[in-house]
């Protein structure tokens, strides 16, 4: 089940180096040309297919969980507690992976403020989580208010998770707590290792710019850290899809730099370029224009994007190539498709677009 982890030589100065991992992702994932419509002349866009890491574990989540769940098992934990939005991809992936590994899973899901928890429809990711036996706790938006702490938790939500953990300990269980999106010093290693994979695929020689979605911040932080440590000349770009200011987004990356012992050697603004211009109506909210883009891209390229995450990142990339080309280092662009191919959102609104 667990295998010893040998970190890349260029990462050995970091803290929190894992000692083991559990192979959950199907990797390496391929890189190929992405013939998007309306790409400005002279630019060449390719795509890193991390949507192919596995069906029910698809996307960036599987890479993080290889290290997070290995740590849980190392600590002799028998259950996992995590949190997210009502249709969280991460919580679904945690639920599935826990079931595969024989761990009990508890997830705290944010119920929209205008919905009665007793009337929430069990579909999409919520249905998949229930099918694999996850214990679901619906919480109101209130515990999600406030900023993430240094440890990756939102204070009110952490209190609820700790309360549940205390209940489980009282009956002899040993829970492992995972923050939002698995963004922790351990979770970072999923994409530090992914960068090593991309180096083996020739990314540093064949591309100038790398574009990735930014939610809780772990994936872009890990890629930026690895890019910095290797001396790669890639420029890393993150498209923010949560309601945060640029200062707050850069602070998420600086927090991860502090966690791995790089606070004195690098600053977020020096190693990653973040834009927050494509959040739209907010996290998990997408417009008719977003839906039209999703359909256009899937219809013209055969690549499915996630409405909440990678579709907004692709929108940001395409708009910036036209409106702000000086943001990019060169014309060889690589897009990280970290989303999942599961349709777990409001398909009715998508199907109504002709």
């Amino acid at each position: 089940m667990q295998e010893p982890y040998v970190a890349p030589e260029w990462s050995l100065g970091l803290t929190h180096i894992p000692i083991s991992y559990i192979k959950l992702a199907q990797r390496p994932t391929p890189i190929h040309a992405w013939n998007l419509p309306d790409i400005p002349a002279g630019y060449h866009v390719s795509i890193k297919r991390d949507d192919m890491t596995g069906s029910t574990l698809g996307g960036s989540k599987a890479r993080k969980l290889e290290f997070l769940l290995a740590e849980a098992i190392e600590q002799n934990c028998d259950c996992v507690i995590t949190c997210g939005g009502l249709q969280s991809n991460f919580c679904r992936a945690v639920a599935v992976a826990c079931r595969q590994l024989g761990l009990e899973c508890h997830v705290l899901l944010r119920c929209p403020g205008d919905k009665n928890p007793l009337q929430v429809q069990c579909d999409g990711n919520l249905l998949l989580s229930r099918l694999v036996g996850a214990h679901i706790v619906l919480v109101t938006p209130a515990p999600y208010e406030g900023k993430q702490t240094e440890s990756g938790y939102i204070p009110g939500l952490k209190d609820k998770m700790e309360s549940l953990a205390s209940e489980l300990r009282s009956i002899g269980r040993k829970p492992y707590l995972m923050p939002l999106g698995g963004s922790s010093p351990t979770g970072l290693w999923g994409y530090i290792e992914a960068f090593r994979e991309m180096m083996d695929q020739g990314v540093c020689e064949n591309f100038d710019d790398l574009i990735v979605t930014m939610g809780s911040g772990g994936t872009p932080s890990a890629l930026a850290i690895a890019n910095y440590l290797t001396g790669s000349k890639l420029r890393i770009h993150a498209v923010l899809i949560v309601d945060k200011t640029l200062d707050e987004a850069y602070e998420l990356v600086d927090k991860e730099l502090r966690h791995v012992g790089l606070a004195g050697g690098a600053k977020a603004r020096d190693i990653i370029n973040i834009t927050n211009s494509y959040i739209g109506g907010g996290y998990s909210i997408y417009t008719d224009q977003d839906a039209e883009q999703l359909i256009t891209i899937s219809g013209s390229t055969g690549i499915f994007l996630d409405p909440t995450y990678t579709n907004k990142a692709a929108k940001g990339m395409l708009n910036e190539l036209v409106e702000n080309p000086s943001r990019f280092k060169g014309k060889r662009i690589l897009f990280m498709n970290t989303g999942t191919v599961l349709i777990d959102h409001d398909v009715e609104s998508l199907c109504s677009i002709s």
Side-chain angles (χ1 to χ4, degrees):
M1 184 183 293
Q2 289 170 270
E3 299 181 37
Y5 178 64
V6 180
E9 186 174 349
W10 42 263
S11 70
L12 296 179
L14 300 179
T15 60
H16 298 93
I17 297 176
I19 62 173
S20 69
Y21 73 101
I22 298 171
K23 192 173 189 308
L24 297 170
Q26 303 302 311
R27 47 186 169 81
T29 56
I31 294 172
H32 59 74
W34 196 19
N35 298 314
L36 288 165
D38 302 322
I39 290 291
Y43 285 94
H44 301 279
V45 178
S46 295
I47 185 168
K48 171 70 169 168
R49 298 293 306 275
D50 263 21
D51 55 310
M52 297 175 68
T53 52
S55 58
T56 51
L57 291 172
S60 60
K61 325 305 177 188
R63 292 188 186 268
K64 296 179 182 181
L65 290 176
E66 290 193 329
F67 293 97
L68 289 165
L69 291 176
E71 183 175 71
I73 292 171
E74 287 164 13
Q75 296 176 6
N76 296 313
C77 295
D78 57 13
C79 54
V80 171
I81 302 173
T82 193
C83 56
L86 187 62
Q87 289 290 348
S88 167
N89 289 334
F90 179 72
C91 289
R92 178 255 303 155
V94 174
V96 173
C98 282
R99 178 53 58 217
Q100 292 176 354
L101 298 173
L103 298 171
E104 187 174 275
C105 181
H106 298 259
V107 291
L108 278 67
L109 298 179
R110 179 182 184 181
C111 182
D114 60 348
K115 288 191 177 183
N116 182 335
L118 297 176
Q119 297 175 335
V120 169
Q121 188 172 351
C122 188
D123 58 9
N125 281 328
L126 179 57
L127 173 60
L128 293 176
S129 297
R130 290 293 299 274
L131 284 174
V132 295
H135 298 268
I136 309 294
V137 179
L138 296 179
V139 298
T140 61
Y144 279 81
E145 295 173 356
K147 298 180 181 180
Q148 282 180 250
T149 64
E150 190 73 12
S151 60
Y153 292 93
I154 294 172
L157 188 56
K158 178 66 178 300
D159 292 342
K160 284 189 172 293
M161 294 174 72
E162 289 286 9
S163 176
L164 176 57
S166 294
E167 291 179 24
L168 290 168
R169 292 187 190 105
S170 72
I171 58 172
R173 309 303 298 276
K174 188 172 182 181
Y176 177 88
L177 274 64
M178 282 187 197
L180 282 165
S183 293
S184 70
T186 300
L188 276 181
W189 285 87
Y191 271 84
I192 292 175
E193 181 61 27
F195 196 88
R196 172 159 63 176
E197 176 182 302
M198 291 191 291
M199 290 177 69
D200 292 340
Q201 292 174 308
V203 164
C204 298
E205 296 78 23
N206 296 324
F207 296 96
D208 305 304
D209 297 83
L210 176 66
I211 290 85
V212 65
T213 311
M214 183 171 185
S216 55
T219 297
S221 296
L223 292 170
I225 288 168
N227 190 57
Y228 168 76
L229 290 175
T230 59
S232 163
K233 303 304 180 184
L234 282 173
R235 184 171 295 172
I236 309 294
H237 307 263
V239 181
L240 194 65
I241 52 84
V242 294
D243 300 309
K244 293 186 182 296
T245 65
L246 280 178
D247 284 344
E248 289 171 337
Y250 279 113
E251 173 55 26
L252 284 178
V253 181
D254 277 326
K255 176 195 72 176
E256 302 295 1
L257 290 171
R258 292 192 291 271
H259 281 164
V260 297
L262 284 178
K267 299 295 181 186
R269 291 179 184 271
D270 298 328
I271 65 173
I272 191 169
N273 186 286
I274 302 174
T275 176
N276 67 342
S277 301
Y278 302 96
I279 298 169
Y283 177 75
S284 81
I285 299 172
Y286 57 97
T287 64
D288 285 348
Q289 183 183 28
D290 294 329
E292 288 171 359
Q293 174 183 278
L294 189 70
I295 292 168
T296 297
I297 290 176
S298 60
S300 59
T301 71
I303 303 295
F304 296 96
L305 301 178
D306 179 285
T308 296
Y309 293 92
T310 49
N311 191 52
K312 290 185 177 182
K315 179 180 180 179
M317 175 186 71
L318 291 168
N319 285 1
E320 292 297 306
L321 284 173
V322 174
E323 303 293 337
N324 191 16
S326 61
R327 176 185 293 270
F328 298 90
K329 179 183 177 183
K331 296 183 180 295
R332 302 174 301 169
I333 313 296
L334 181 62
F335 181 86
M336 289 285 299
N337 190 16
T338 55
T340 174
V341 298
L342 292 172
I343 300 299
D344 47 31
H345 294 266
D346 182 9
V347 295
E348 183 178 347
S349 64
L350 295 178
C351 292
S352 68
I353 304 293
S354 60

